[in-house]
Amino acid sequence: KMITHKKISKTELPKLVAISYEKDQELFDKYHQIPNTSFPEAVLSTLDIIDDASKSFKLSYYKLIYKKQPIGYFVIFGEYLYSFAIGVNFRKKEVLSRWFENVKSELPPHFKAILYENNTRAIKHLERQGMKIIDHDKETNIITLQN
């Protein structure tokens, strides 16, 4: 397999979020909840969101590996894909579809994903992987997709 994943502890997450966000100004400018977010702020914001979720849900953390190098992460709980990102240099069609296979192997067949509505790039990516939007909560601005 070209892309593998490994369950990790929460302590490894900051480094992986940083790897995933590096050199992706578009992510901070367009898709993050806070406009004009710097690289360190975006990393911390993501870690805070994940940390908040960990107070309510039992999260599992995974490192994505390509040619023995970490290239990103994903976080799941129950039947949900909760958070994910891949380094900008690895966002190629083949890598992304292999990533999705790795995610699917850790979740039940009809899993869901929850994303903020402004994260259109990730939503479109999940739709390309076959997921469908099943809910749009206008109060929380959260979109739910299902596999």
Side-chain angles (χ1 to χ4, degrees):
K1 271 189 172 178
M2 189 174 68
I3 302 284
T4 58
H5 67 286
K6 180 181 174 207
K7 195 167 189 177
I8 57 165
S9 71
K10 188 177 176 178
T11 57
E12 287 187 65
L13 206 57
K15 185 178 131 205
L16 296 167
V17 172
I19 286 168
S20 302
Y21 285 14
E22 209 168 17
K23 299 185 190 112
D24 190 358
Q25 196 57 44
E26 186 185 27
L27 176 76
F28 319 142
D29 293 343
K30 268 175 95 171
Y31 304 109
H32 237 273
Q33 287 293 87
I34 314 133
N36 304 315
T37 303
S38 71
F39 172 72
E41 287 169 333
V43 171
L44 285 174
S45 167
T46 297
L47 293 169
D48 285 346
I49 290 166
I50 293 168
D51 195 51
D52 282 349
S54 75
K55 293 170 183 147
S56 306
F57 305 102
K58 185 183 178 337
L59 303 183
S60 296
Y61 310 92
Y62 296 88
K63 168 171 43 180
L64 283 168
I65 303 157
Y66 176 70
K67 295 184 177 174
K68 299 183 181 170
Q69 295 295 312
I71 63 162
Y73 74 94
F74 63 96
V75 177
I76 62 174
F77 67 87
E79 62 175 19
Y80 287 91
L81 170 60
Y82 183 66
S83 181
F84 61 92
I86 294 176
V88 73
N89 297 334
F90 299 97
R91 294 183 199 151
K92 295 169 177 64
K93 189 177 181 186
E94 193 178 340
V95 171
L96 294 172
S97 60
R98 297 271 188 219
W99 161 82
F100 197 68
E101 293 302 315
N102 281 269
V103 168
K104 288 194 320 193
S105 74
E106 295 295 339
L107 285 160
H110 299 292
F111 71 89
K112 296 177 176 123
I114 44 181
L115 294 158
Y116 286 111
E117 65 186 7
N118 65 318
N119 197 347
T120 53
R121 186 171 67 182
I123 292 164
K124 282 181 175 34
H125 170 66
L126 292 177
E127 287 180 313
R128 281 192 300 274
Q129 299 296 339
M131 296 189 80
K132 304 264 184 279
I133 294 174
I134 58 164
D135 187 50
H136 185 173
D137 187 325
K138 300 278 189 205
E139 234 171 79
T140 60
N141 300 323
I142 288 177
I143 299 249
T144 305
L145 298 97
Q146 182 158 11
N147 193 39

